[in-house]
Amino acid sequence: MRQIKINSTTGSEIVTLQEFKDYARIDTSSDDTLIADIIKQARIWCENYISRDIVAKNRSYYMDNTNGIFDLPFNPVASISSITADGSSVGHTVIGLDNESIELNNGAAEKVTVVYITAGLDDSLLKQAILQLCSTYYDNRADFKVGAAVSDIPTSTRDILSSYKSMFV
């Protein structure tokens, strides 16, 4: 069994309320609360799609057992706060390009909990994907129909995010 939990969100949204309002050509402030929620929801959808944190977070990851080498979900990893196995602190080495891979000094272990901080991501492609998804959410506040079928997330958003997607197994 593996479990992941967000302890806290430490970063800020990469798309601001004003950036979205400019993008969508919205001149009124009457929907500001709704738009702020839509920005957060769109970002969360994008994070889950690419399995990486766009906004920095403090996370806990639990595994009931490991062979001693494992990858942390939702990187890039800024720092490891603690690693415990069976309730005791465990020595480790951080490996990998985004510090996402961990090797436990004593090898295999059970009941492993890792508390770590992710760095978050910020670039123009991610912003564009979030803006497009926000626009879709804002314009279509319920399921919407194209012909007779309910449409999915805009293809362009999915295409933009595909380059960031990492599979976590």
Side-chain angles (χ1 to χ4, degrees), residues 20 23 32 34 67 74 165:
F20 176 70
Y23 177 84
D32 283 2
L34 172 66
N67 66 1
F74 291 93
K165 191 168 182 169

Side-chain angles (χ1 to χ4, degrees), residues 29-89:
S29 62
S30 62
D31 284 345
D32 283 2
T33 301
L34 172 66
I35 292 169
D37 288 343
I38 287 172
I39 292 169
K40 181 178 178 181
Q41 292 159 3
R43 187 254 312 151
I44 289 170
W45 188 93
C46 292
E47 287 177 331
N48 289 332
Y49 183 77
I50 65 175
S51 299
R52 300 178 80 189
D53 280 343
I54 295 170
V55 171
K57 294 178 186 61
N58 177 308
R59 290 184 172 269
S60 291
Y61 179 53
Y62 172 82
M63 299 167 286
D64 56 355
N65 60 54
T66 177
N67 66 1
I69 299 175
F70 56 91
D71 291 333
L72 294 171
F74 291 93
N75 52 62
V77 176
S79 63
I80 306 290
S81 301
S82 67
I83 299 179
T84 59
D86 283 324
S88 299
S89 183

Side-chain angles (χ1 to χ4, degrees), residues 35-168:
I35 292 169
D37 288 343
I38 287 172
I39 292 169
K40 181 178 178 181
Q41 292 159 3
R43 187 254 312 151
I44 289 170
W45 188 93
C46 292
E47 287 177 331
N48 289 332
Y49 183 77
I50 65 175
S51 299
R52 300 178 80 189
D53 280 343
I54 295 170
V55 171
K57 294 178 186 61
N58 177 308
R59 290 184 172 269
S60 291
Y61 179 53
Y62 172 82
M63 299 167 286
D64 56 355
N65 60 54
T66 177
N67 66 1
I69 299 175
F70 56 91
D71 291 333
L72 294 171
F74 291 93
N75 52 62
V77 176
S79 63
I80 306 290
S81 301
S82 67
I83 299 179
T84 59
D86 283 324
S88 299
S89 183
V90 176
H92 65 280
T93 302
V94 178
I95 52 180
L97 297 176
D98 285 327
N99 299 325
E100 75 279 5
S101 298
I102 305 294
E103 183 175 10
L104 301 179
N105 293 350
N106 296 332
E110 294 185 359
K111 298 179 183 170
V112 176
T113 301
V114 182
V115 178
Y116 63 104
I117 310 294
T118 59
L121 301 167
D122 184 4
D123 71 32
S124 61
L125 283 176
L126 289 172
K127 279 187 173 187
Q128 184 62 32
I130 292 171
L131 286 168
Q132 287 182 6
L133 189 53
C134 286
S135 182
T136 299
Y137 284 172
Y138 185 77
D139 291 341
N140 305 284
R141 296 175 204 170
D143 285 343
F144 56 99
K145 295 192 181 230
V146 175
V150 175
S151 293
D152 205 355
I153 296 301
T155 308
S156 56
T157 300
R158 196 177 307 269
D159 290 345
I160 288 170
L161 293 173
S162 289
S163 65
Y164 289 92
K165 191 168 182 169
S166 65
M167 292 302 295
F168 177 72

